[in-house]
Amino acid sequence: MKRLDFTLIVTLILLLTIGLLAIYSSAGIRYLLRQLIFLPVGIAGLLIAFLAPRRFIYGLADILYALTLILLIAVLFVGTGPGARRWFGIGSFTFQPSELAKITTVLMLAKYLGYRREIRFNFKSLAGPILLVLAPILLILAEPDLSTALIFLPAFAAMLYWQGLRPLYILLLFMPLFSFAAGFSLYLWVPFFIILAVIVFIRLRLFRAILALGVGSVFGLLSPVVLSMLKDYQRARIIGFFAPWFDPHGMGWNAIQSQIAIGSGRILGKGYLRGTQKRLGFLPNRHTDFIFSAIAEEFGLLGCLVLLSLFALLIYRILRTAYQTRDQNGALICIGLGTMIGYQTFVNIAMLLGLLPITGIPLPFISYGGSSLFASMVMLGLVLNVASKPE
Amino acid sequence: MKIRFRRLTQIGIALFALLFLRLGYLQVLRGVRYARLSDRNRIRRIVLPAPRGKIFDRNGVLLADTRPSWTVAVIPTETNDSALTLLSTILNQPVEDIKRRLEPIAAFPAPVNICRDVPLKTVAQIEENNFRLPGVLVRVDPVRNYPYRNLYAHSIGYLGEITEEELSRDTSYRRLDYIGKTGIEAKYERYLRGRDGFEFVEVDVRGREIGPLLEKRPEPPIPGKDIHLTIDHRLQSLAYELTAKYERAAVVGILVKTGEVLCLVSRPDFDPNIFLSPLNAARWESLVFNPSKPFFNRAISSGYPPGSTFKPLVALLAQELGLVTPQTTLLPCSGVFRYGNRDFKCWSRHGRLNLLGAIEQSCNTYFYQLGMRIRVDTLASFCERFGLGRTTGIDIPGEGTGNIPSRDFLNRRYGKGKWTQGVMLNFAIGQGEILLTPLQLALAYAGIANNGFYYQPRLVSHIDSAGRTILCPGGERFVIPLQQEAINAVKRALTRVVLYGTGRAAQIQEITIAGKTGTAQNPPRPDHALFVGYAPAEEPEVVFAVVCENAGHGGAVAAPIVSELVRAYFANKTGQ
């Protein structure tokens, strides 16, 4: 019989309850009922992930991963969605394969990294995992859905770290990407390059430091070149992804409305169902990406503290599971999935608070939406599975 | 493991602490202020419209700029029915129209433009009734201004309010935005448009603005880019004046060595300014239902039978096919040519002529005889070399292709086998189903003048942003494979047309003009008058094509126009 981590279960139930209450408050009975239909599907996913023998899951990782890639390719051809191809439509419901990809990629990476005792900073060691994580990222970028594609990176970094790769090397590994992203604006890139230079000259031998800076410059120079090759509207779209704060239309308005909603909740909140901002219809997507603003408006700082604590506890328990288990593969899965949930939570809330640019990312367990809920539930099922007993 | 677990936990705690601190800042330190703002959502987003890029002629004459105008706007969330009713009587606009404009944005506390360019009297009326018009405001907006009015209606084009369809294609526009509909305004919309700025202001309970919202810095508008045209305003004005007495006419002037368009006139026309202020219905209807179609750009869209201006091309082809040399004489012209059981007329009795004389005197009989010996498809493929029968690629929208009849075309039109080689008699003198746009005609002559190549015509010389040139679209070069001796012969003939032949009305003292008259039949209405000419004949710089619909003889009507234009072109050049 499998043992249950009751703290995780209780935390999960509380988060789901808050989510349902918030969906009802911000979007009404119709969306609540739809979310209630998704819920059993999510619970079933959680149970399957929890009950299935771990050896069986590990064994299936390659097949599941391959299947996901096929789905990600297929969605580019037959998918639907406003301005992008992200969803499979099934009747009036939709399914987003990139949500599935989050899980299967972590499973695959865990399996691949788990086989090795230690990981070194060289081509032989890193080429495999990089390819494994790059494939789904590139396919999701093609949809295009940059914000979802980015979720893979912190999970990948955390898993490498867990396997013993030094933080400096992880930084160097991600450096070309940072350099490319910063390269869209000289004001971003120059400080980035200075910081990079300081770090590598302190921590690396001269030749390697110069090499690292060289690679960084090439990628930094690449982005203006790539930008200039694109057509005007494509360029606007890319800049919109990387730097949405450049776009004065729409974004600024949403961010401001979200901050007013949150701030006006003050310490105790306006009370459940009493939010004015969301009722006036100023908050866009208030039941999905912006749901935290609605919660913050109605429950205030105290309510937010409770919610943040629940998330912190959830993520802490997931990391602790990784720490306590003797199943190395399972530990890596927990690290990957825990990082993903933590990253999504942080980014979603930070953008509503005006700390990060606004891009579409749902709040796990809270936001309305079937695919997201299902994926989050399966993630938790896997964690519970690892926590249940040593294997 | 322990240290890694601890590190990850620490990172997590740090990030969540950051969120919590920010929450505290927003909800405790700024909570009172945000609560006030959310109380009646007392912030308003104001769009600061970007001034559209200016348009200049080749010498820096301002052809389109922006001027300030009074705009009446309504904030849907702050107004009420009685205010809208009052507003509708002041603006003399049905209240349903106003409501329809507000409808799609009804939940937005931002001003929606209702009426642009209202007169000062109306502004005063609104200000007087201020207290009875909550949510109504008057602002100053930049509005497009075309100082030369009708003169550039067809080249620069006009702006109009964005349609639902255009909105769904480009989401960066807002409802009620103006967008280029035709001409340069449409083609270079993305350069001219610029980017609107915005600011957030806090307003009091009565909707009056208190000041800018501290949380959000305003974004200043980015003005559109300035466009410099190849058009020469002096030539354009002159061409416009010279065609004033004709109801329907078109003039195209091109620099043969670059493809730059110097003038582009199409009559009748309209004043593009009228779309920018409340439109008078009667005025609108007089334009739309005008049988002469003022919106139609005759210079680039309308296919005309080229008449005798087509003969030099036939002469080139006939020489290439080896049918004739410049000295070859054919059956003498008796004023009528019999083919089958039909009589084909010439406009005079020319007697015995060689090829050069036939062009000079525009003798139909000579060309009928050439037509008998040229197959339809041979002519069609020869015309293709000149780019006829397809668009030239000029950088404004709406170009026509004209028509070059091929065997397939005739089969479709008359039925297979229902037509004979007899059609070629008409084609050889530029009649029948052959249709060319004035622009194509000018380019074909540019090709002859240039000894076998021409440039893609263009209206934009360069685009400036903040005084710096950012785009300089060069026209593509096209080569027409032709025999040099054949070209030389035709050019000689074209010079003689003006010196001794049908185009003597184009003669001027200072410069030798070469060209060809055309009088295209257009039964049952009077003939179209055409003239295409380039100058100087020895070293061609500029080519003009003129078509005056139903105006009579090309030599009498169109040729003098070209001579005036050529004179003005060289006068301007030396005057510079």
Side-chain angles (χ1 to χ4, degrees):
Chain A
M1 186 57 205
K2 294 201 166 190
R3 283 187 303 144
L4 260 177
D5 182 339
F6 281 104
T7 313
L8 261 184
I9 293 289
V10 172
T11 314
L12 170 69
I13 291 171
L14 289 175
L15 283 175
L16 290 174
T17 311
I18 293 173
L20 293 174
L21 289 174
I23 288 169
Y24 175 65
S25 167
S26 56
I29 189 79
R30 211 175 125 246
Y31 284 92
L32 176 68
L33 289 177
R34 279 174 73 101
Q35 187 75 350
L36 282 172
I37 297 172
F38 299 144
L39 195 58
V41 182
I43 291 173
L46 180 141
L47 285 175
I48 292 169
F50 171 56
L51 293 172
R54 256 152 43 215
R55 284 178 201 290
F56 180 65
I57 294 174
Y58 301 162
L60 271 179
D62 312 66
I63 297 169
L64 290 175
Y65 177 80
L67 202 70
T68 311
L69 291 188
I70 292 169
L71 284 178
L72 284 176
I73 292 169
V75 84
L76 293 177
F77 294 99
V78 298
T80 55
R85 292 176 173 271
R86 298 178 186 171
W87 294 275
F88 288 117
I90 307 152
S92 68
F93 292 98
T94 55
F95 166 68
Q96 201 171 350
S98 54
E99 291 288 345
L100 194 66
K102 292 196 275 191
I103 300 168
T104 57
T105 307
V106 166
L107 287 179
M108 189 67 217
L109 275 174
K111 185 173 181 178
Y112 189 92
L113 292 172
Y115 281 143
R116 284 159 182 72
R117 281 254 66 93
E118 202 176 1
I119 193 155
R120 293 169 177 283
F121 189 65
N122 59 31
F123 183 79
K124 204 178 140 213
S125 221
L126 288 171
I130 287 176
L131 276 181
L132 285 179
V133 77
L134 217 52
I137 286 181
L138 291 178
L139 287 169
I140 291 168
L141 277 179
E143 289 178 2
D145 188 354
L146 180 83
S147 43
T148 305
L150 287 180
I151 294 173
F152 291 78
L153 297 178
F156 184 50
M159 291 169 84
L160 290 176
Y161 176 64
W162 193 256
Q163 276 308 85
L165 195 64
R166 281 169 56 195
L168 173 68
Y169 291 141
I170 294 176
L171 179 74
L172 285 180
L173 193 64
F174 281 86
M175 182 267 293
L177 199 74
F178 291 148
S179 183
F180 184 78
F184 289 123
S185 156
L186 210 60
Y187 297 107
L188 282 175
W189 195 74
V190 170
F192 165 81
F193 195 76
I194 292 171
I195 293 170
L196 179 73
V198 170
I199 293 175
V200 294
F201 277 112
I202 292 176
R203 300 299 299 270
L204 288 178
R205 272 177 290 155
L206 186 65
F207 174 71
R208 288 189 166 195
I210 290 170
L211 188 71
L213 286 183
V215 172
S217 326
V218 166
F219 275 88
L221 289 173
L222 209 61
S223 56
V225 173
V226 168
L227 271 192
S228 68
M229 285 190 317
L230 297 172
K231 295 210 175 83
D232 256 17
Y233 71 93
Q234 290 171 322
R235 187 159 42 224
R237 195 177 276 180
I238 299 250
I239 291 178
F241 275 144
F242 278 95
W245 57 89
F246 283 167
D247 177 19
H249 302 308
M251 294 298 184
W253 182 251
N254 295 351
I256 262 261
Q257 288 299 337
S258 154
Q259 281 180 47
I260 289 176
I262 293 168
S264 66
R266 304 174 71 183
I267 296 176
L268 296 173
K270 294 176 184 168
Y272 186 53
L273 301 180
R274 294 244 176 97
T276 54
Q277 286 293 106
K278 52 119 207 216
R279 193 176 57 226
L280 290 169
F282 293 139
L283 276 183
N285 301 332
R286 54 195 187 277
H287 56 297
T288 56
D289 298 349
F290 282 76
I291 196 159
F292 179 80
S293 305
I295 296 174
E297 185 183 12
E298 297 188 344
F299 296 103
L301 186 67
L302 282 181
C304 292
L305 183 61
V306 171
L307 186 65
L308 282 180
S309 305
L310 286 172
F311 270 115
L313 181 62
L314 184 87
I315 294 155
Y316 174 75
R317 292 299 287 198
I318 296 174
L319 294 182
R320 208 183 70 128
T321 305
Y323 172 51
Q324 286 182 339
T325 186
R326 274 183 288 158
D327 169 5
Q328 198 191 358
N329 200 348
L332 278 167
I333 291 173
C334 289
I335 291 295
L337 298 181
T339 313
M340 277 184 172
I341 294 175
Y343 171 84
Q344 284 203 55
T345 308
F346 176 79
V347 170
N348 176 277
I349 296 177
M351 74 185 191
L352 300 187
L353 293 175
L355 294 172
L356 287 176
I358 292 195
T359 56
I361 257 190
L363 190 60
F365 305 109
I366 307 283
S367 286
Y368 168 84
S371 301
S372 161
L373 181 71
F374 180 77
S376 307
M377 295 289 273
V378 171
M379 286 183 187
L380 217 66
L382 289 167
V383 173
L384 288 170
N385 195 342
V386 175
S388 67
K389 65 169 188 236
E391 182 158 309
Chain B
M1 277 313 139
K2 183 156 194 169
I3 189 145
R4 289 180 209 147
F5 169 59
R6 208 184 279 159
R7 278 258 178 84
L8 287 178
T9 313
Q10 283 162 357
I11 293 174
I13 289 172
L15 290 175
F16 273 76
L18 179 67
L19 294 183
F20 192 71
L21 284 176
R22 176 74 179 173
L23 269 171
Y25 170 76
L26 291 178
Q27 295 187 311
V28 180
L29 292 182
R30 306 212 58 103
V32 178
R33 174 174 168 72
Y34 279 136
R36 188 162 55 80
L37 287 174
S38 93
D39 169 31
R40 274 194 52 194
N41 210 320
R42 277 193 234 148
I43 61 169
R44 185 187 286 167
R45 184 169 69 166
I46 309 278
V47 173
L48 310 170
R52 209 170 162 81
K54 298 186 182 78
I55 301 178
F56 298 95
D57 92 330
R58 66 187 298 120
N59 299 312
V61 178
L62 191 60
L63 306 181
D65 61 352
T66 49
R67 64 176 166 80
S69 95
W70 295 104
T71 298
V72 177
V74 171
I75 300 162
T77 51
E78 287 175 20
T79 191
N80 55 47
D81 272 1
S82 74
L84 292 183
T85 313
L86 178 58
L87 183 65
S88 94
T89 51
I90 292 176
L91 294 177
N92 195 16
Q93 227 182 69
V95 72
E96 296 80 38
D97 284 7
I98 298 177
K99 283 185 177 166
R100 206 176 50 233
R101 296 197 140 209
L102 297 181
E103 199 180 330
I105 338 177
F108 228 56
V112 175
N113 288 345
I114 296 298
C115 191
R116 268 177 264 229
D117 214 19
V118 293
L120 201 59
K121 205 182 77 187
T122 311
V123 174
Q125 254 177 305
I126 290 175
E127 294 300 336
E128 276 165 30
N129 292 289
N130 197 355
F131 58 100
R132 283 192 284 171
L133 292 168
V136 175
L137 38 115
V138 177
R139 306 185 295 168
V140 176
D141 271 354
V143 158
R144 197 51 147 177
N145 181 42
Y146 303 102
Y148 296 104
R149 302 181 158 271
N150 302 36
L151 195 48
Y152 294 99
H154 293 105
S155 41
I156 290 178
Y158 65 97
L159 299 178
E161 223 163 69
I162 192 160
T163 62
E164 285 299 322
E165 198 210 331
E166 287 162 334
L167 255 179
S168 63
R169 250 184 290 145
D170 187 341
T171 51
S172 68
Y173 286 90
R174 283 179 309 272
R175 246 165 257 273
L176 313 177
D177 272 351
Y178 276 112
I179 183 171
K181 297 288 186 184
T182 60
I184 294 289
E185 294 277 27
K187 182 80 179 182
Y188 292 93
E189 167 74 17
R190 66 201 182 106
Y191 293 102
L192 288 166
R193 181 186 169 202
R195 197 164 70 185
D196 291 350
F198 73 110
E199 65 176 346
F200 292 95
V201 294
E202 195 183 342
V203 292
D204 70 7
V205 187
R206 277 187 281 171
R208 286 181 307 209
E209 293 176 9
I210 296 172
L213 194 72
L214 301 169
E215 284 77 3
K216 197 79 196 166
R217 266 191 304 155
E219 294 253 347
I222 299 169
K225 318 263 188 285
D226 292 343
I227 290 191
H228 295 260
L229 300 184
T230 58
I231 294 273
D232 185 325
H233 176 63
R234 289 171 295 197
L235 282 181
Q236 176 81 9
S237 315
L238 181 62
Y240 190 73
E241 271 167 44
L242 292 171
T243 49
K245 46 183 154 152
Y246 307 108
E247 164 83 24
R248 292 177 297 275
V251 180
V252 178
I254 291 177
L255 283 181
V256 295
K257 291 200 163 56
T258 58
E260 292 170 44
V261 176
L262 289 174
C263 61
L264 192 77
V265 170
S266 172
R267 281 183 174 275
D269 45 45
F270 58 94
D271 182 353
N273 289 302
I274 61 171
F275 303 101
L276 300 168
S277 33
L279 202 55
N280 177 333
R283 212 164 154 200
W284 169 245
E285 279 173 19
S286 77
L287 283 173
V288 172
F289 298 115
N290 183 338
S292 296
K293 296 190 196 157
F295 293 111
F296 187 49
N297 188 347
R298 293 180 152 70
I300 66 164
S301 312
S302 181
Y304 293 99
S308 301
T309 60
F310 193 64
K311 286 174 184 165
L313 273 75
V314 177
L316 282 170
L317 175 59
Q319 291 180 79
E320 186 171 303
L321 294 174
L323 299 176
V324 287
T325 68
Q327 268 61 54
T328 310
T329 54
L330 300 175
L331 292 176
C333 170
S334 61
V336 66
F337 181 77
R338 198 166 176 85
Y339 180 84
N341 55 0
R342 258 188 76 189
D343 283 342
F344 288 81
K345 290 192 181 103
C346 187
W347 63 279
S348 175
R349 302 167 72 121
H350 292 108
R352 189 173 290 273
L353 288 170
N354 64 14
L355 180 65
L356 298 184
I359 295 175
E360 182 191 313
Q361 298 302 326
S362 203
C363 174
N364 288 355
T365 306
Y366 193 95
F367 283 90
Y368 289 142
Q369 296 175 68
L370 292 182
M372 283 166 54
R373 292 166 202 162
I374 299 173
R375 296 163 59 85
V376 169
D377 279 335
T378 312
L379 180 73
S381 66
F382 182 74
C383 287
E384 260 175 43
R385 295 191 212 164
F386 283 84
L388 307 177
R390 59 170 187 263
T391 54
T392 66
I394 191 172
D395 51 354
I396 49 176
E399 203 186 344
T401 60
N403 183 43
I404 297 297
S406 63
R407 178 172 294 275
D408 288 342
F409 172 87
L410 293 166
N411 281 340
R412 258 179 284 130
R413 168 133 193 185
Y414 296 103
K416 211 164 175 152
K418 298 261 177 68
W419 55 278
T420 64
Q421 180 68 13
V423 295
M424 267 306 296
L425 271 67
N426 264 327
F427 294 168
I429 59 161
Q431 294 287 161
E433 284 87 359
I434 289 187
L435 298 175
L436 301 184
T437 69
L439 176 65
Q440 287 173 329
L441 210 48
L443 277 189
Y445 274 67
I448 294 172
N450 256 339
N451 299 325
F453 65 86
Y454 66 95
Y455 289 90
Q456 184 178 337
R458 61 195 165 89
L459 280 161
V460 167
S461 132
H462 58 281
I463 299 179
D464 279 357
S465 175
R468 234 162 17 111
T469 297
I470 54 162
L471 189 76
C472 215
E476 203 183 329
R477 186 179 194 258
F478 295 96
V479 176
I480 314 165
L482 291 172
Q483 290 168 351
Q484 189 59 50
E485 309 92 90
I487 295 181
N488 290 345
V490 166
K491 285 171 87 170
R492 258 200 324 278
L494 291 178
T495 310
R496 293 175 61 90
V497 167
V498 176
L499 285 177
Y500 316 111
T502 53
R504 277 174 305 218
Q507 262 181 53
I508 49 174
Q509 288 264 297
E510 316 86 86
I511 293 126
T512 329
I513 299 176
K516 184 75 193 76
T517 55
T519 305
Q521 284 165 14
N522 180 37
R525 311 200 51 194
D527 298 342
H528 297 325
L530 294 92
F531 189 86
V532 196
Y534 56 86
E538 306 80 29
E539 188 55 51
E541 284 182 33
V542 62
V543 57
F544 290 98
V546 174
V547 179
C548 300
E549 283 187 38
N550 314 120
H553 283 278
V557 173
I561 295 177
V562 169
S563 68
E564 286 300 318
L565 289 170
V566 169
R567 178 178 283 149
Y569 170 79
F570 286 101
N572 290 342
K573 230 183 114 187
T574 49
Q576 263 167 25

